[in-house]
Amino acid sequence: ILNVEQSPQSLHVQEGDSTNFTCSFPSSNFYALHWYRWETAKSPEALFVMTLNGDEKKKGRISATLNTKEGYSYLYIKGSQPEDSATYLCAFKGDNYGQNFVFGPGTRLSVLP
Amino acid sequence: EPEVTQTPSHQVTQMGQEVILRCVPISNHLYFYWYRQILGQKVEFLVSFYNNEISEKSEIFDDQFSVERPDGSNFTLKIRSTKLEDSAMYFCASSALDTPRGYGYTFGSGTRLTVV
């Protein structure tokens, strides 16, 4: 059974703090990893598509890194703002695991003003 | 910005009844998907659809489920005889290209199905 995990499950930070969380996935047969931000009552929004070991992607204050050899990706948020409050999902695809993505359970981030 | 729209946003149905969940994907997208999330659990893949046929389905997607793209714009998920365990948030998604390498999914905002 393919397992994708995220930690921590939830996180509370103060406005202005920087934070990071982890997505872990099988280290064999990597094909692609997606990060999504999911705000309450809205649809999940694609943040990053990561395909190569060592990839680093950046979008404003949010960035992500990828280590396919050890099976993890980090998502970083610099200077958290209340509007960053959301659940952050990662989704993994390995070569031999069908055509579609396996999602992690998400990290719920709350940024307190 | 183009959106994937889903209707209804919330549906309550009696166990054993048929439900149809509707989605309008982004117009130039070619690949369509249904995912669901049971409360407190992970988002799970149900089915992918391309070129008017199912390209892959999960174990969840049994004979009680079906999908259709009846008119070139709508993409529907039908559950023939709902069970209590079908209660979940159902997400439709679409993508312009085969998703894995190029693009993420564009998700709709979901239909919350409650089976009573």
Side-chain angles (χ1 to χ4, degrees):
Chain A
I1 295 176
L2 178 54
N3 207 24
V4 178
E5 296 299 335
Q6 291 185 248
S7 62
Q9 185 177 12
S10 65
L11 194 55
H12 296 262
V13 301
Q14 289 294 134
E15 183 175 354
D17 286 352
S18 294
T19 187
N20 66 85
F21 25 92
T22 308
C23 173
S24 303
F25 49 83
S27 56
S28 57
N29 297 324
F30 177 86
Y31 196 70
L33 186 93
H34 293 173
W35 280 100
Y36 292 88
R37 174 170 57 206
W38 186 11
E39 295 177 67
T40 303
K42 294 187 178 178
S43 49
E45 172 201 353
L47 287 174
F48 302 117
V49 173
M50 310 189 80
T51 56
L52 296 173
N53 184 43
D55 258 355
E56 290 188 28
K57 298 280 178 91
K58 193 172 186 315
K59 190 174 185 177
R61 293 179 291 98
I62 305 177
S63 60
T65 61
L66 179 68
N67 184 326
T68 60
K69 295 189 189 313
E70 295 181 42
Y72 64 84
S73 175
Y74 292 143
L75 190 80
Y76 301 90
I77 303 179
K78 186 177 175 183
S80 304
Q81 299 297 308
E83 57 265 31
D84 296 328
S85 297
T87 296
Y88 290 83
L89 296 171
C90 67
F92 166 82
K93 184 183 180 307
D95 282 336
N96 298 328
Y97 297 109
Q99 297 178 13
N100 292 283
F101 283 76
V102 176
F103 281 76
T107 292
R108 180 180 289 279
L109 174 67
S110 298
V111 182
L112 308 172
Chain B
E1 190 169 330
E3 290 184 341
V4 174
T5 56
Q6 288 187 245
T7 54
S9 57
H10 191 184
Q11 180 150 1
V12 181
T13 189
Q14 294 272 345
M15 192 167 58
Q17 294 295 305
E18 175 183 286
V19 295
I20 297 176
L21 310 182
R22 300 180 194 280
C23 169
V24 179
I26 293 173
S27 60
N28 64 348
H29 282 188
L30 301 175
Y31 296 80
F32 313 110
Y33 310 84
W34 284 99
Y35 280 79
R36 77 175 186 188
Q37 186 186 38
I38 295 170
L39 192 62
Q41 298 186 23
K42 295 181 183 182
V43 173
E44 303 172 291
F45 167 71
L46 294 179
V47 65
S48 60
F49 191 86
Y50 169 70
N51 200 25
N52 282 321
E53 60 183 22
I54 290 173
S55 49
E56 187 178 355
K57 58 185 181 179
S58 71
E59 292 173 355
I60 303 167
F61 195 89
D62 61 21
D63 292 344
Q64 293 300 311
F65 291 86
S66 61
V67 289
E68 210 176 29
R69 189 158 157 79
D71 55 13
S73 63
N74 291 286
F75 179 50
T76 61
L77 175 70
K78 182 194 291 186
I79 310 175
R80 276 191 199 83
S81 176
T82 49
K83 307 184 195 68
L84 294 176
E85 55 264 36
D86 293 328
S87 295
M89 180 74 92
Y90 287 80
F91 290 100
C92 173
S94 68
S95 64
L97 300 174
D98 190 12
T99 314
R101 286 277 181 167
Y103 302 89
Y105 297 113
T106 301
F107 281 94
S109 54
T111 293
R112 179 165 296 287
L113 176 67
T114 304
V115 183
V116 296

